[in-house]
Amino acid sequence: MDLTPIFITGIVFITVYRIFELFVRRRERLAIIDKIGQDNGSLHANLDLNKILYPTSVSDSRYTSLKWGCLALGLGAGLFCYVLIAINQPSILNSWSMKSTLSGSLTLLGGGLGLIIAFIVETLLNKSNRNEE
């Protein structure tokens, strides 16, 4: 199975999305700078350019392991379903691609479960630390 068209389509969509995101963020930054300049009368009063130029989102850093874990779990489950469906085909049952697909799906399932368990443990530890304080 040739995956080249899928990769090319994905690369094109990601590129277009990033270009639009770049222009939107630039417009938002300029609007923030204008608003700060109008509120304070001068542009240099209490202006932290690092926060404007490099915005960070708390939700992105907080749920990274959950996002990657769910992605790996979904990919592994999909590949494992493919293996279960393909078992009924005796012609491809003993092929190398079936064995590699099975090993890849089980690896992704294990990795995804590990990341989700790590997220749950991290969340429980954070809650216990907040309760102790």
Side-chain angles (χ1 to χ4, degrees), residues 118-131:
F119 171 76
I120 292 170
V121 168
E122 184 178 329
T123 304
L124 292 175
L125 287 175
N126 285 340
K127 283 183 183 178
S128 68
N129 287 341
R130 278 190 241 144
N131 289 339

Side-chain angles (χ1 to χ4, degrees), residues 8-74:
I8 290 174
T9 305
I11 290 170
V12 168
F13 278 116
I14 288 173
T15 303
V16 170
Y17 173 76
R18 289 295 182 177
I19 288 173
F20 283 124
E21 183 183 32
L22 177 71
F23 288 122
V24 168
R25 280 191 177 177
R26 182 173 183 260
R27 193 172 298 144
E28 287 175 354
R29 289 180 194 137
L30 290 175
I32 290 171
I33 290 172
D34 287 341
K35 185 176 180 181
I36 290 172
Q38 291 171 357
D39 290 344
N40 294 333
S42 70
L43 184 62
H44 300 294
N46 296 330
L47 181 62
D48 189 7
L49 288 178
N50 287 331
K51 288 184 180 180
I52 294 173
L53 295 176
Y54 306 108
T56 58
S57 176
V58 174
S59 64
D60 289 342
S61 63
R62 198 174 356 172
Y63 299 112
T64 303
S65 62
L66 180 64
K67 289 177 186 177
W68 284 106
C70 289
L71 175 69
L73 194 65

